[in-house]
mmCIF file of all heavy atoms in Angstrom:
data_model
loop_
_atom_site.group_PDB
_atom_site.id
_atom_site.type_symbol
_atom_site.label_atom_id
_atom_site.label_comp_id
_atom_site.label_asym_id
_atom_site.label_seq_id
_atom_site.Cartn_x
_atom_site.Cartn_y
_atom_site.Cartn_z
ATOM 1 N N ALA A 28 10.677 -7.154 7.058
ATOM 2 C CA ALA A 28 10.152 -7.362 8.431
ATOM 3 C C ALA A 28 8.930 -6.493 8.739
ATOM 4 O O ALA A 28 8.155 -6.786 9.599
ATOM 5 C CB ALA A 28 11.227 -7.149 9.436
ATOM 6 N N TYR A 29 8.853 -5.377 8.034
ATOM 7 C CA TYR A 29 7.797 -4.392 8.346
ATOM 8 C C TYR A 29 6.673 -4.308 7.347
ATOM 9 O O TYR A 29 5.926 -3.332 7.351
ATOM 10 C CB TYR A 29 8.449 -2.991 8.483
ATOM 11 C CG TYR A 29 9.418 -2.825 9.618
ATOM 12 C CD1 TYR A 29 10.754 -2.679 9.442
ATOM 13 C CD2 TYR A 29 8.904 -2.869 10.929
ATOM 14 C CE1 TYR A 29 11.643 -2.517 10.479
ATOM 15 C CE2 TYR A 29 9.782 -2.692 11.984
ATOM 16 C CZ TYR A 29 11.146 -2.571 11.755
ATOM 17 O OH TYR A 29 12.000 -2.436 12.815
ATOM 18 N N LEU A 30 6.564 -5.289 6.420
ATOM 19 C CA LEU A 30 5.594 -5.220 5.347
ATOM 20 C C LEU A 30 4.182 -4.859 5.840
ATOM 21 O O LEU A 30 3.559 -3.905 5.369
ATOM 22 C CB LEU A 30 5.545 -6.505 4.556
ATOM 23 C CG LEU A 30 6.510 -6.656 3.409
ATOM 24 C CD1 LEU A 30 6.161 -7.923 2.613
ATOM 25 C CD2 LEU A 30 6.425 -5.424 2.468
ATOM 26 N N ASP A 31 3.665 -5.679 6.674
ATOM 27 C CA ASP A 31 2.254 -5.477 7.151
ATOM 28 C C ASP A 31 2.089 -4.172 7.919
ATOM 29 O O ASP A 31 1.148 -3.443 7.729
ATOM 30 C CB ASP A 31 1.858 -6.673 8.069
ATOM 31 C CG ASP A 31 1.700 -7.927 7.265
ATOM 32 O OD1 ASP A 31 1.595 -7.882 5.994
ATOM 33 O OD2 ASP A 31 1.684 -9.026 7.863
ATOM 34 N N GLU A 32 3.066 -3.931 8.810
ATOM 35 C CA GLU A 32 3.015 -2.739 9.605
ATOM 36 C C GLU A 32 3.094 -1.466 8.736
ATOM 37 O O GLU A 32 2.353 -0.520 8.968
ATOM 38 C CB GLU A 32 4.194 -2.763 10.604
ATOM 39 C CG GLU A 32 4.004 -1.947 11.850
ATOM 40 C CD GLU A 32 5.191 -2.060 12.780
ATOM 41 O OE1 GLU A 32 5.964 -3.062 12.704
ATOM 42 O OE2 GLU A 32 5.377 -1.125 13.576
ATOM 43 N N TYR A 33 3.940 -1.498 7.716
ATOM 44 C CA TYR A 33 4.033 -0.332 6.844
ATOM 45 C C TYR A 33 2.788 -0.135 6.042
ATOM 46 O O TYR A 33 2.264 1.004 5.912
ATOM 47 C CB TYR A 33 5.215 -0.466 5.891
ATOM 48 C CG TYR A 33 5.304 0.737 4.998
ATOM 49 C CD1 TYR A 33 5.752 1.952 5.424
ATOM 50 C CD2 TYR A 33 4.817 0.607 3.645
ATOM 51 C CE1 TYR A 33 5.779 3.061 4.612
ATOM 52 C CE2 TYR A 33 4.812 1.748 2.830
ATOM 53 C CZ TYR A 33 5.297 2.971 3.307
ATOM 54 O OH TYR A 33 5.276 4.051 2.522
ATOM 55 N N ARG A 34 2.226 -1.229 5.475
ATOM 56 C CA ARG A 34 1.010 -1.123 4.703
ATOM 57 C C ARG A 34 -0.127 -0.486 5.545
ATOM 58 O O ARG A 34 -0.903 0.373 5.062
ATOM 59 C CB ARG A 34 0.525 -2.468 4.152
ATOM 60 C CG ARG A 34 1.329 -2.917 3.008
ATOM 61 C CD ARG A 34 0.818 -4.305 2.555
ATOM 62 N NE ARG A 34 1.831 -5.018 1.781
ATOM 63 C CZ ARG A 34 1.883 -6.300 1.632
ATOM 64 N NH1 ARG A 34 0.877 -7.094 2.095
ATOM 65 N NH2 ARG A 34 2.803 -6.879 0.903
ATOM 66 N N ALA A 35 -0.261 -0.921 6.785
ATOM 67 C CA ALA A 35 -1.310 -0.396 7.661
ATOM 68 C C ALA A 35 -1.088 1.077 7.908
ATOM 69 O O ALA A 35 -2.078 1.856 7.878
ATOM 70 C CB ALA A 35 -1.334 -1.211 8.939
ATOM 71 N N ALA A 36 0.109 1.453 8.147
ATOM 72 C CA ALA A 36 0.431 2.885 8.414
ATOM 73 C C ALA A 36 0.129 3.751 7.212
ATOM 74 O O ALA A 36 -0.422 4.846 7.359
ATOM 75 C CB ALA A 36 1.872 3.003 8.860
ATOM 76 N N LEU A 37 0.507 3.254 6.061
ATOM 77 C CA LEU A 37 0.350 4.014 4.797
ATOM 78 C C LEU A 37 -1.210 4.153 4.514
ATOM 79 O O LEU A 37 -1.692 5.188 4.072
ATOM 80 C CB LEU A 37 1.068 3.357 3.650
ATOM 81 C CG LEU A 37 0.947 4.028 2.289
ATOM 82 C CD1 LEU A 37 1.305 5.494 2.315
ATOM 83 C CD2 LEU A 37 1.815 3.320 1.250
ATOM 84 N N ALA A 38 -1.898 3.053 4.674
ATOM 85 C CA ALA A 38 -3.343 3.066 4.382
ATOM 86 C C ALA A 38 -4.072 4.059 5.302
ATOM 87 O O ALA A 38 -4.933 4.836 4.871
ATOM 88 C CB ALA A 38 -3.958 1.643 4.594
ATOM 89 N N THR A 39 -3.679 4.033 6.591
ATOM 90 C CA THR A 39 -4.304 4.982 7.528
ATOM 91 C C THR A 39 -3.941 6.426 7.158
ATOM 92 O O THR A 39 -4.837 7.303 7.183
ATOM 93 C CB THR A 39 -3.814 4.624 8.968
ATOM 94 O OG1 THR A 39 -4.170 3.344 9.286
ATOM 95 C CG2 THR A 39 -4.379 5.670 10.002
#
Side-chain angles (χ1 to χ4, degrees):
Chain A
Y29 294 111
L30 271 189
D31 291 343
E32 204 178 336
Y33 178 76
R34 283 180 202 160
L37 179 54
T39 299

